Amino acid sequence: MYHRTETQGSLMLEKAIFLEDINSNMTSRERKFKKMFNKPSKLNSYADTSTIEWYWWCRLHPMMLQVLSVITGILSVVIVWSEMTFFKKQPVLSIFALMVNMAKQNNDYVMIQVLSTLSIAYLAYCTYSTIFKIKLLNIYYLAPNHQTTESSLIFFGLLLSRLTSPMCLNFLGLIHMDSHVIKSRILETDYTQIMGHMDVITIISDGFNVYFPTLILAVCLATYFNVGTRILSILGFPQFLEDDDLVTDYIQEGRLLVVREKERRERKIRGNEMRRKYRERSLPNANEEVEERVPPSRKDNMKSYLLDNADPIDRSYHSYSTNDTHEVERQLPNVSTRPNSTWEPPRNIFSDL
């Protein structure tokens, strides 16, 4: 849990600094995305992508989010309206059922597939994105960057598998393809033939599964006015409420954390720059000393120069037996096999390296 929380904190700091970079680049006249702490990507080694990043994060990305917010807002209203009226067969009030009926009258099966796919995809996105944000006692929750525990994965996998089938059956009710909802004889779909209907229990089959989805309006209103968040806050669970003094203190503390992280990174960058300048100043002096010690004729071949200087040392340290010593003296009469009394070991042999 400690490592997971630490990783989430570092990721949140990265996100906060990046959002500050976007905010500061919004008014840039150079139209180049400048990062406070530049981390070059792989593409930067081939081309300068600062202009492309500026147009994406400062122009295209906000516009795309605005367009998506309008589209998803309209889809959400359509879903809420259809959930409240899908049990009404005549007249047909469910918008999903109206679209499918229009495509059915024109025998446009491709359009039926497209509408069904997009509708159930948005239903699945709304359902699963909400489930994956649930935190049960701050133990079972999905954490990014591969920090989710095994028990949390099993818990959310269980929820995922249990909600898929009812969601598909609910979608069939929205488009009036469930005969047990609209109470009429129609050709059963393959899904209902295999999975069956929610009519095992009498209470559910008599209308609970039909009228219960109308409570989605109450859930939407409670979410809009933060009713559940306020109840949890009253019970003692910390929640994010804008009019809470404790949350205001948390916000100020978060700002201080971001400021301290930025200062720490700036100090690290300044320290690296000072060390680099110091190495640049000390490197020419070291090169000059090497050039003074190395003869001009041997600058091109440092290896041979070092071996030549080390050659007398090897000749001075022969340790042979008596017979070997006489043999060496016969072959090399001018070379002594034992160091003399005035011999001193050479110094600074490897300084040139």
Side-chain angles (χ1 to χ4, degrees):
M1 292 178 65
Y2 167 75
H3 289 296
R4 179 170 59 178
T5 307
E6 187 179 15
T7 303
Q8 287 179 326
S10 60
L11 292 175
M12 188 60 66
L13 285 173
E14 292 286 346
K15 184 178 180 181
I17 294 173
F18 180 69
L19 292 177
E20 287 188 354
D21 291 339
I22 295 177
N23 191 23
S24 60
N25 282 279
M26 282 291 184
T27 58
S28 177
R29 296 182 179 180
E30 298 179 2
R31 296 187 176 182
K32 289 186 176 181
F33 195 84
K34 296 181 180 179
K35 297 180 181 179
M36 188 177 302
F37 303 101
N38 188 15
K39 290 185 177 180
S41 60
K42 295 181 180 179
L43 295 176
N44 291 333
S45 59
Y46 301 100
D48 186 12
T49 60
S50 58
T51 304
I52 300 175
E53 289 181 358
W54 187 87
Y55 276 103
W56 168 249
W57 292 111
C58 300
R59 290 294 181 267
L60 297 178
H61 189 257
M63 292 175 59
M64 185 186 69
L65 291 180
Q66 292 174 0
V67 173
L68 286 177
S69 65
V70 174
I71 295 175
T72 53
I74 294 173
L75 289 175
S76 298
V77 173
V78 170
I79 288 176
V80 173
W81 174 261
S82 300
E83 290 283 359
M84 294 179 61
T85 59
F86 76 95
F87 56 87
K88 185 69 174 177
K89 182 182 178 182
Q90 292 295 334
V92 178
L93 300 178
S94 176
I95 298 177
F96 290 111
L98 289 173
M99 291 188 297
V100 171
N101 289 336
M102 290 177 60
K104 183 172 62 175
Q105 292 175 1
N106 298 327
N107 294 328
D108 193 351
Y109 298 103
V110 176
M111 183 59 64
I112 294 176
Q113 293 179 359
V114 171
L115 291 175
S116 301
T117 303
L118 293 178
S119 303
I120 199 170
Y122 185 67
L123 283 171
Y125 170 75
C126 293
T127 305
Y128 299 147
S129 63
T130 304
I131 292 173
F132 292 159
K133 293 178 182 178
I134 294 176
K135 288 187 177 182
L136 185 60
L137 300 177
N138 209 22
I139 298 176
Y140 297 102
Y141 67 94
L142 295 180
N145 201 24
H146 308 283
Q147 297 297 316
T148 307
T149 59
E150 297 87 349
S151 56
S152 298
L153 288 175
I154 295 174
F155 175 75
F156 283 98
L158 191 65
L159 289 179
L160 185 68
S161 60
R162 286 181 175 179
L163 284 172
T164 303
S165 300
M167 186 182 62
C168 295
L169 188 61
N170 177 256
F171 176 73
L172 291 178
L174 292 178
I175 61 176
H176 289 180
M177 289 290 179
D178 189 358
S179 60
H180 287 220
V181 173
I182 59 176
K183 305 297 182 182
S184 64
R185 294 180 176 273
I186 60 173
L187 182 64
E188 290 284 340
T189 60
D190 293 334
Y191 180 84
T192 54
Q193 289 179 8
I194 296 174
M195 300 297 295
H197 302 273
M198 296 181 64
D199 54 2
V200 179
I201 304 176
T202 308
I203 299 175
I204 295 178
S205 62
D206 288 343
F208 178 80
N209 60 338
V210 176
Y211 299 104
F212 183 72
T214 57
L215 296 178
I216 191 174
L217 181 61
V219 175
C220 293
L221 294 176
T223 304
Y224 181 77
F225 292 106
N226 295 324
V227 175
T229 305
R230 296 180 187 277
I231 293 174
L232 291 176
S233 179
I234 293 172
L235 294 177
F237 297 96
Q239 300 293 322
F240 185 80
L241 293 172
E242 295 181 358
D243 54 353
D244 192 356
D245 296 335
L246 184 61
V247 172
T248 305
D249 296 336
Y250 285 157
I251 294 174
Q252 296 297 331
E253 185 179 356
R255 288 176 179 174
L256 292 176
L257 288 174
V258 175
V259 171
R260 284 200 294 267
E261 177 65 18
K262 291 164 63 176
E263 292 177 351
R264 186 188 67 82
R265 294 188 180 187
E266 290 175 356
R267 288 195 301 268
K268 184 178 179 180
I269 292 174
R270 286 197 299 266
N272 293 335
E273 187 68 20
M274 292 175 63
R275 284 191 291 270
R276 185 184 64 82
K277 290 181 179 179
Y278 176 76
R279 286 195 298 267
E280 290 178 354
R281 286 196 303 266
S282 60
L283 186 60
N285 298 330
N287 292 334
E288 292 176 0
E289 294 178 0
V290 170
E291 291 178 357
E292 290 177 358
R293 289 195 299 267
V294 178
S297 60
R298 301 301 181 99
K299 289 181 180 179
D300 297 333
N301 195 347
M302 294 295 297
K303 183 177 180 180
S304 61
Y305 168 70
L306 293 174
L307 292 175
D308 291 344
N309 284 347
D311 194 17
I313 304 172
D314 297 334
R315 291 180 180 180
S316 303
Y317 277 100
H318 289 301
S319 59
Y320 303 105
S321 62
T322 305
N323 297 330
D324 295 337
T325 303
H326 292 301
E327 184 67 25
V328 171
E329 288 179 351
R330 285 196 300 269
Q331 295 178 0
L332 300 172
N334 297 327
V335 177
S336 176
T337 59
R338 295 180 182 179
N340 52 25
S341 59
T342 60
W343 179 86
E344 293 183 359
R347 312 271 183 191
N348 301 325
I349 298 175
F350 298 103
S351 297
D352 296 333
L353 294 180

